[in-house]
Amino acid sequence: MARLDPKLLRAAVPALSLALLLVAIFIIQPRTMSYFGLNLMLNLALPIAFATMAQLFILTVNDLDLSIGGFVSMVACIAATWLNETPLLGIAALIASIAAYAALGALIHLRNLPSIVVTLGMSFVWLGCAVLLLPSPGGAAPDWLTAIVKFKMPFVPLAIVASAVLGLVVHFGLMRSAGGVVLRASGGNPQAVAKAGWSLLKLKVTMYALAGTFGVLSGLILVGTTTSADANIALRYTLLSIAGVILGGGEFTGGRVSPIGAVLGALTLALVGSLLSFLRISPEWQIGAQGLMLIVVLALRSLVNRFEERAQ
Amino acid sequence: MTYRAILAASAALSFCLASAAASAQTADKSIALSNNYAGNSWRQAMINSWEEVTGKAVEDGIVGSADAFTTAENSATEQAAQLQNMILQGYDAIVLNSASPTALNGAVKEACDAGITVVSFDGVVTEPCAWRIAVDFKKMGSDQIEYLAERYPDGGKLLEIRGLPGTSVDEEIHAGIVEGVKAHPQFEVVREVQGDWTQTVAQKSVASVLASLPEVVGVVTQGGDGYGAAQAFKAAGREVPTIIMGNRHDELTWWKEQKDANGYETFSQSIAPGVSTLAFWVAQQILDGKDVPKDLVVPTLRIDQDGLAEGLEMTPEGGVTNQEYTQDQAAELISSAQ
């Protein structure tokens, strides 16, 4: 009999926990087992999945991004103001913010700064820009954006299709392509990559630019769903995105990430809240229960880790 | 067995039937409370009032169920997700204290489209399909000047204690005070200090300006800062002017002491945390098929000189004066708004 492959097990944990959660939700609240139900439960998970992917790019190069929540908030504010009123200015601002992200990557690499400090500082800058743009909550999402996000796909909700496409595209780009291998290796073994003649600077800038791009997408989807913005709208995404990557099987170091796992992790985090409210747990306990479920999933992970070590 | 007993029994029975008929419309309806924050005494009192009043309403068969939900963090996206879960749970009405006036509009619209009645209160939402039970903070400001104008027809200088800077509540109360002073030009606000709605902060900032502060007849406040101001005046050895209070327990206790000692006069006002129960009854009335205007204004809970002892009784130690609303009060508010 073949032994369980630890690698397979590691990849299976995020999928299994999501499946378990879904089954529990379907049993408790059968109404969710419909197009309408899945769409409602998952449409706010989609921007979290994109923000998680942005975080994954940063984690791949051994850095940590504490500014993604503030960045997504700022993008949401740009989308609800400039992008709606003067589209050209809005598009220019979004491109400029991606460029700023890339420049951050260069700064962190060239000056050899700790990414946590730089991004923590930047989180205040992004939040400041968001407040300047939208001092009091309001604005309106452009109609075309709302139309895209609220588009009703036949048979399968858009949020599921988009999550699947997101996971698969990044999986093939980062895990299967030649370029992806180099990008990941720049986090796992930078010396070897440098010796092989690759520019670490270029690689880092690429990853930060990718993170910025996915952050922009996350903000656009978010504002399309909520239809208007608030400077504090996505501050929670910083921690959610980190938790999503880790739940999905990623590690803090060594370019060890899993894009499909990260998408599953983000969906799991979003659905935990749904399950708890369907269980009608009293408000005082809801807060603690959410944390408890995360700890359970992470405990499963560390079990798998130990299993892996023993297999080696 | 007497005829009287039978008569009484049948009268009681017919009364039960009548009341059952009155609430039959909503007896199987479920209402949910979506709350974004539970971290201070006002919000705790708000949830407790909700549980008390709705628990009784469920027992009496007026509504089917009334569950309370609070999000883990004060975040708009999390609350939007919570609203969407409530839609799936099939609630008939959602009573909402919102984290943001606009960021929940998408989710609120989805709820309306699913045929759910959404009533927002305190933290209201701008989505047109929802009902709003808003606080008239501006009136809270202008009422203070109105009161002082009655007390001091000749006018005089005033000290203003502001709230937390950058919040809309602070802006609106301040605007009301400015408007009041414009209507009664015999008054002049000579100094503004920042009080953050907190006794200790208010005491410190009032104390720091007292040395250079001319004689004032009154202190206009935003609530939660009156006791601190009084302490500052007392510590400096100055006569305490008329300080408007904000229904906090320490403020009312101090006022009572002064009233008993030297006949000190003022008034006190704030929003009762029990406004959640008002929102509950409004939602119930809407579900009952009543025609309710989309915008309602919460009455402030005002304590005057004569009502002080009663007001103090309604105030838990360390908390804010609370009042739970009844179905009749909600119906009255609705009819007065039409």
Side-chain angles (χ1 to χ4, degrees), chain A residues 128-154:
Chain A
C129 293
V131 173
L132 281 178
L133 268 173
L134 208 59
S136 59
D143 292 334
W144 55 266
L145 189 59
T146 317
I148 293 175
V149 175
K150 302 224 159 151
F151 179 69
K152 295 259 184 292
M153 297 258 304

Side-chain angles (χ1 to χ4, degrees), chain A residues 39-52:
Chain A
N39 195 32
L40 267 187
M41 274 198 303
L42 292 173
N43 66 4
L44 273 169
L46 193 57
I48 300 178
F50 273 87
T52 305

Side-chain angles (χ1 to χ4, degrees), chain B residues 280-292 327 330-331 334:
Chain B
F280 166 76
W281 289 120
V282 168
Q284 188 265 339
Q285 293 284 306
I286 297 166
L287 290 178
D288 202 20
K290 299 267 160 48
D291 184 23
V292 179
Q327 194 174 13
I334 291 165

Side-chain angles (χ1 to χ4, degrees), chain A residues 97-181:
Chain A
S97 52
I98 295 176
Y101 239 82
L104 275 184
L107 178 76
I108 287 169
H109 179 77
L110 289 174
R111 310 303 309 166
N112 205 10
L113 297 168
S115 63
I116 292 185
V117 177
V118 175
T119 55
L120 182 65
M122 284 311 287
S123 71
F124 299 113
V125 174
W126 302 133
L127 183 63
C129 293
V131 173
L132 281 178
L133 268 173
L134 208 59
S136 59
D143 292 334
W144 55 266
L145 189 59
T146 317
I148 293 175
V149 175
K150 302 224 159 151
F151 179 69
K152 295 259 184 292
M153 297 258 304
F155 309 119
V156 186
L158 180 68
I160 294 179
V161 177
S163 303
V165 170
L166 170 71
L168 289 174
V169 165
V170 180
H171 179 78
F172 282 104
L174 200 61
M175 311 303 279
R176 288 274 182 270
S177 76
V181 171

